Amino acid sequence: MWEAFMKGTWQDDLITFTQDIVRIPGCSTQEKAVAQRIRQEMERLGYDKILTDSSGSITGVLGNGPYHIFFDSHMDTVQVTDESAWTYPPFGAEIHNGRLYGRGASDMKGALAASVYAGALMKENGSLEGKTVYICCSAIEEDYDGEGTWRAITENRLKPDVAVICEPTHLKISLGQRGRSVFLIHTKGVSAHGAAPEKGVNAIYKMAEIIERVRALSDRLMSREGWHGSIAASRIESTAVSVNAVPDSCTLYLDRRTTVEENEEYLAGEMDELIKGTDASWEVYEVEGTSYMGAAVRLHSLLPAWELPGEHPLALAAEKCFREVLGREPETCRWDFSTNGVTTAGRLGIPTLGFGAGIEKMAHQTDEYCPVEDLIKACEFYSRLPQYL
Ligand SMILES: [Zn+2]
């Protein structure tokens, strides 16, 4: 293996490995086959230790120094609903015009592969001096943001000093993300025959007023300057004994994206305000399932936003490393979507930064691709970053 590295063929091996894992489908909780392939590659690359946990995340360990750096990439992807809509097969991992096509190419098997290979390069380039590096390939991110990473860190008793989230940034440095919460609002009615609606109370009509308040809140949030939150009514459900009956319950789902200031207490106040003067109730959406390891997993959908100050040593280290590796000035950004940073920065308070191969807008899209050049550059960046910390 090391000989291959010295001959400079690691780039080809990295591309081949990325293609291999893109060809293995694996949605949240169904990552077993892709996890096995990642473990096999880590073994081949000479990782010192390979850990797992009840979510099924695979965490490779390199070095044994006192300063601990945690890299995180999720191995699961969203599903493909209509294969025929893709120009190239979503599990074909074909390369055309310097782009590697397939589900998960950008979100985020490309960056994952780059981080796995970066670990191997660190063994060669002296990056591990005084460092312990964790390359975490986390499970269940798409459906349970942060849970796979939470289990990887807590069950293995890791104590990272800093974390790098490798979600796609197209080689920009991400200094944070918006939070993501899902709330349910419930209204109750009284069932009655549809032919005599005056004898019942219609739960849908009761929700109508609340929907108008949600729409008004959305307008207020969208009119704010700068980095701001948002709200969207994303789904509505009702129950009625038949389609010829007045519904006795209605549930509205709200997707709320948040800033750092919009914390749990703030959001609770906002939900109280939305149902004020009605007999509706609200709750935080809970998602439950079972990991491929057979463990129960649960997501309480209240995921905090986080930010890294631009002058933080981790941000400065990343900028220096970027200039060295890419030979230009770095650009910074913040993710609009949620990442496992909700665990590293949000729940555990670990200084966290983002940098990844692939394009943010490609996530969950038909014809998703990752520029091959991004893989190589991200891998080099990850492999050198420990030297600046
Ligand atoms: Zn992702």
Side-chain angles (χ1 to χ4, degrees):
M1 188 63 216
W2 304 120
E3 227 173 289
F5 269 92
M6 284 187 278
K7 283 187 201 138
T9 65
W10 66 266
Q11 290 96 335
D12 296 336
D13 290 355
L14 165 57
I15 295 163
T16 304
F17 175 54
T18 309
Q19 289 178 302
D20 276 5
I21 56 176
V22 168
R23 286 175 186 139
I24 307 171
C27 294
S28 288
T29 74
Q30 285 144 43
E31 306 94 338
K32 191 172 180 179
V34 71
Q36 280 171 344
R37 182 66 189 85
I38 291 165
R39 175 184 283 275
Q40 180 193 39
E41 197 71 6
M42 285 180 172
E43 283 168 358
R44 195 174 81 89
L45 292 168
Y47 273 63
D48 297 339
K49 262 188 275 178
I50 301 169
L51 311 171
T52 191
D53 56 72
S54 64
S55 76
S57 300
I58 301 289
T59 305
V61 188
L62 299 137
N64 54 14
Y67 192 87
H68 292 205
I69 307 168
F70 184 88
F71 289 85
D72 182 274
S73 302
H74 64 84
M75 66 169 97
D76 57 319
T77 69
V78 293
Q79 58 179 340
V80 173
T81 45
D82 182 8
E83 278 201 40
S84 67
W86 287 62
T87 310
Y88 306 109
F91 301 106
E94 293 180 18
I95 297 174
H96 299 277
N97 299 321
R99 297 167 168 182
L100 195 160
Y101 285 86
R103 171 56 79 229
S106 265
D107 184 22
M108 58 172 293
K109 286 173 168 173
L112 180 147
S115 75
V116 169
Y117 267 68
L121 287 176
M122 286 176 205
K123 284 205 142 192
E124 294 295 281
N125 69 12
S127 281
L128 296 175
E129 217 165 290
K131 308 290 188 324
T132 300
V133 171
Y134 302 108
I135 304 292
C136 178
C137 301
S138 46
I140 63 171
E141 190 272 347
E142 291 291 354
D143 289 354
Y144 306 88
D145 321 33
E147 275 303 303
T149 302
W150 172 261
R151 291 178 189 219
I153 293 177
T154 58
E155 290 179 21
N156 291 307
R157 297 196 174 81
L158 311 183
K159 297 261 181 278
D161 291 288
V162 292
V164 179
I165 302 293
C166 307
E167 290 266 13
T169 62
H170 201 18
L171 309 180
K172 290 180 186 161
I173 294 171
S174 174
L175 296 176
Q177 64 160 90
R178 295 202 295 177
R180 183 178 81 86
S181 295
V182 181
F183 296 100
L184 308 184
I185 293 182
H186 304 286
T187 53
K188 290 224 170 308
V190 176
S191 184
H193 198 288
E198 77 284 1
K199 295 204 170 97
V201 177
N202 193 313
I204 293 178
Y205 296 165
K206 286 171 84 174
M207 191 63 85
E209 184 188 344
I210 295 170
I211 291 172
E212 279 312 313
R213 293 179 187 180
V214 172
R215 193 207 297 261
L217 173 61
S218 171
D219 290 345
R220 285 200 300 281
L221 290 171
M222 296 315 281
S223 69
R224 285 185 188 168
E225 297 283 318
W227 205 43
H228 60 76
S230 64
I231 192 166
S234 57
R235 183 187 289 172
I236 189 160
E237 291 167 353
S238 61
T239 58
V241 290
S242 84
V243 290
N244 307 317
V246 172
D248 58 3
S249 86
C250 182
T251 299
L252 179 68
Y253 290 68
L254 300 175
D255 175 284
R256 179 73 166 88
R257 304 291 163 146
T258 57
T259 61
V260 175
E261 294 74 32
E262 293 166 335
N263 59 17
E264 193 169 344
E265 198 188 340
Y266 178 93
L267 294 170
E270 188 176 273
M271 290 302 127
D272 287 343
E273 201 59 37
L274 284 177
I275 62 168
K276 199 174 174 182
T278 74
D279 61 358
S281 61
W282 67 267
E283 64 178 324
V284 176
Y285 184 45
E286 306 271 344
V287 191
E288 285 178 0
T290 308
S291 75
Y292 77 82
M293 301 288 279
V297 285
R298 189 172 144 268
L299 179 74
H300 184 65
S301 306
L302 198 71
L303 305 162
W306 56 272
E307 281 177 304
L308 184 77
E311 65 279 8
H312 190 280
L314 174 60
L316 298 177
E319 285 180 8
K320 268 192 210 156
C321 181
F322 185 98
R323 284 187 200 105
E324 203 62 42
V325 171
L326 285 111
R328 57 182 163 92
E329 276 304 297
E331 277 178 74
T332 58
C333 63
R334 277 188 283 202
W335 284 301
D336 272 335
F337 57 51
S338 182
T339 75
N340 280 331
V342 298
T343 282
T344 57
R347 288 171 79 180
L348 294 168
I350 302 164
T352 298
L353 173 130
F355 185 86
I359 298 164
E360 182 175 347
K361 283 199 176 62
M362 280 286 133
H364 307 187
Q365 295 292 312
T366 300
D367 288 337
E368 178 177 352
Y369 69 83
C370 178
V372 173
E373 182 70 11
D374 277 23
L375 297 178
I376 310 299
K377 292 296 176 204
C379 183
E380 288 179 351
F381 175 88
Y382 299 146
S383 78
R384 300 278 299 279
L385 183 63
Q387 297 171 10
Y388 298 86
L389 288 161

